[in-house]
Amino acid sequence: MARKKRASYTRWLKGFLAIFLGLLILVALFNVLIDGVGIFHLSKGLKYAAQNLLEGKMVAGHFQRSGEWELQRLVVEQYPKQRDAIILGSSRTMAFRKRFINGNPDFFNHSLGGGGMEDFIAVIDLYRGKGVFPKTVILGIDPWMFNRNNGLKSPWRALESGQKEMLAEIKNAGPGREAAGKSEAGDAAKTDRFSRFTQLINLDYTVQNWELLRSGKKLRVTDTVNVNDFVREPDGSLHFPFHQRYAKMTKDGPASAMPDVYFNDFDSLSNTGLLEGLVVYLQKRGVRVVFFLPALHPFAYRSCLTNPRYEITLKVETYIRDLAAKYGVTVVGSFDPALYGFKGEDFFDGHHGHEIVLKKPFEEYK
């Protein structure tokens, strides 16, 4: 009887292992075939897109949220020179283009959908790992990036180990402290986190590939921006699909013209120490820092003046200007659209402006 039970258990265990190994093999084959990043096929996915951007070509298609972040790493690691300037921000600065800055700088737009302080640090960590920082870093400021309850979570997990080390450096940054040397943690992390074999059965990568398969859209090179899709220029800036690109918010609207959910429990400013530490960190490494305050829609800004829920936006701008004065940082723009004569047709929603909203404030900046 005992022998039969052992035999039965052995058969069950072998069957389970066979099914388990079979599923792993299927997952691995799926990731190899779809390969949204281009880990196994250099002629497709994000590696293909990054390579074409660096070669001066435009790329059409939706990068998806996780792909958007991975693109930043690929661009930084593959670019051979020092950048004159980069911009870090959210979707509100994604349409900021190289030609908006006088002097034809070597520029790249690292703005990310829902980007905030963690993402600023993650991108800077990429440059730290490379050992060469940009000469100028433009920080696109959103009011809600100072709200710990805004609900925006960074999906960037690949840089977690590097971020922890850099966060420690930023928190320890301050007048009189020596700048830390280049860390080798970034190089080690690169090797570990993007090992081909670990990606074969990586659940996150499988989910990303599944989303790409469902969307039915592939990244592709284009020689025109006149396509109804996301189009990324070689400088990293983005053209939105037609329904956003040509929309004009001209009619008056309720307070919901502001991204209401980002203001949940927004009673005080958080992350201020982190921003100040980042400024000091960069300045100690010879990097010029610029704060950019993209304007809000006139209706949205009126809500900041009349609705207590949004009035903290005004405090954020005051804080940024005070911080800039303290550290000699240039401030470009304002949340107030009236300062630049912006009207409703210059925006496609309450907090996203068309190109003119990003371009005009920089006309006098060198």
Side-chain angles (χ1 to χ4, degrees), residues 8 17 20 33 78 104 133 226 248 287 321 330 336 345:
S8 176
L17 290 175
F20 179 72
L33 290 172
Q78 294 179 25
N104 191 33
F133 291 94
N226 296 318
K248 295 181 179 180
V287 179
R321 294 189 181 281
T330 300
D336 184 356
E345 55 262 32

Side-chain angles (χ1 to χ4, degrees), residues 173-247:
R177 295 180 184 267
E178 293 296 325
K182 176 186 173 183
S183 169
E184 297 178 358
D187 293 332
K190 286 183 225 170
T191 303
D192 292 336
R193 62 179 180 253
F194 290 102
S195 165
R196 282 185 167 191
F197 298 106
T198 58
Q199 296 307 315
L200 281 172
I201 53 174
N202 184 306
L203 179 59
D204 290 337
Y205 195 45
T206 305
V207 171
Q208 179 180 333
N209 283 328
W210 173 249
E211 290 176 352
L212 177 64
L213 184 65
R214 281 200 315 166
S215 70
K217 290 186 177 181
K218 295 182 178 180
L219 300 176
R220 61 202 183 278
V221 173
T222 177
D223 58 2
T224 177
V225 298
N226 296 318
V227 294
N228 187 18
D229 203 344
F230 294 94
V231 177
R232 199 171 295 262
E233 292 198 19
D235 64 4
S237 64
L238 197 68
H239 296 267
F240 292 94
F242 289 168
H243 72 279
Q244 294 170 304
R245 200 183 306 180
Y246 300 118

